Amino acid sequence: TREQRWLMRVAELTDGRRLVHLVDRSLAHAAERIRVDFVANASHELRTPLAAILGFAETLGGEAGADEATRIRFLGVIMKEAQRMQTLVDDLISLSRIEAEKHRAPDDAVDLRALTGEVTRVIQDQPASRDRTFEIEAAGELPPVAGDRAQLSQLLHNIVGNAIKYGRAGSPVRIALAPADGGMVRLTVEDQGDGIDPKHIPRLTERFYRVDSGRSRAMGGTGLGLSIVKHIVERHRGRLDIASVPGNGTTVTVRLPAAP
Ligand code: ADP
């Protein structure tokens, strides 16, 4: 019946023995549910900016298009919505690439200190970070990480980008790099911001999960950043921990295996 948890399949082998295969249907159902939700969410997220683009383009084709100021304003909206779609599609492509590579162990020896420097310089140049500072503290003896350089760069972009997006105006972002137990290298990114209510923390790495959708969208977020981070950490056989004090700030810690 539908309610039965276990599905049993029995196959008779040529030598007369029987092979019994037990399938946990609740797990199969959960995986199917996640897949269906993901497709529904992704379609919805793409449809919203698409509807805006079509609506504004149609209006521009009518009488409103004759007015210069209106034309400039509407074209601005169309650009912004198209950029949102592009960011979303880029994140979806990243997710599927990382998932496709999950069984291939990454093997570059990555200098996380240099990579952190590069990523923070790029972020620092963006308008959203104009009033923000980075405090980077790296241990002298920092071993390289066994990793995929492009993916670790994306991981840093997403975590540090969140610290900028959700941190208080003018507050610093602290980044620390140090060797950790078990042959690992530890990266911590700490912001001073509104923080996150503990009840949301276990769900933050789900695709499209946002604490405050309006705020995330206004900041150009897709809701996929931390889910990409989780997949990258898993591919590297690392660990991700998120700790937060509401009203105070958030600390994201990633542990990655050092290169042999
Ligand atoms: P988004 O694109 O919405 O930022 P993420 O997957 O990166 O998506 O993060 C999921 C949600 O987690 C965000 O919408 C936000 O609510 C919350 N979040 C992530 N990082 C932080 C942070 N440093 N401080 C407060 N909230 C955060």
Side-chain angles (χ1 to χ4, degrees), residues 150-160 187 229 232-233 254:
Q151 288 185 0
L152 292 179
S153 167
Q154 188 167 18
L155 171 141
L156 279 160
H157 265 282
N158 292 359
I159 298 175
V160 177
L187 157 78
V229 166
I232 294 175
V233 170
V254 174

Side-chain angles (χ1 to χ4, degrees), residues 109-118 142-145 152-153 155-156 177 185-187 254 256:
V110 182
D111 177 352
L112 266 193
R113 183 209 313 258
L115 195 59
T116 303
E118 278 172 35
L142 191 72
V145 158
L152 292 179
S153 167
L155 171 141
L156 279 160
L177 290 162
V185 173
R186 187 180 60 230
L187 157 78
V254 174
L256 297 165

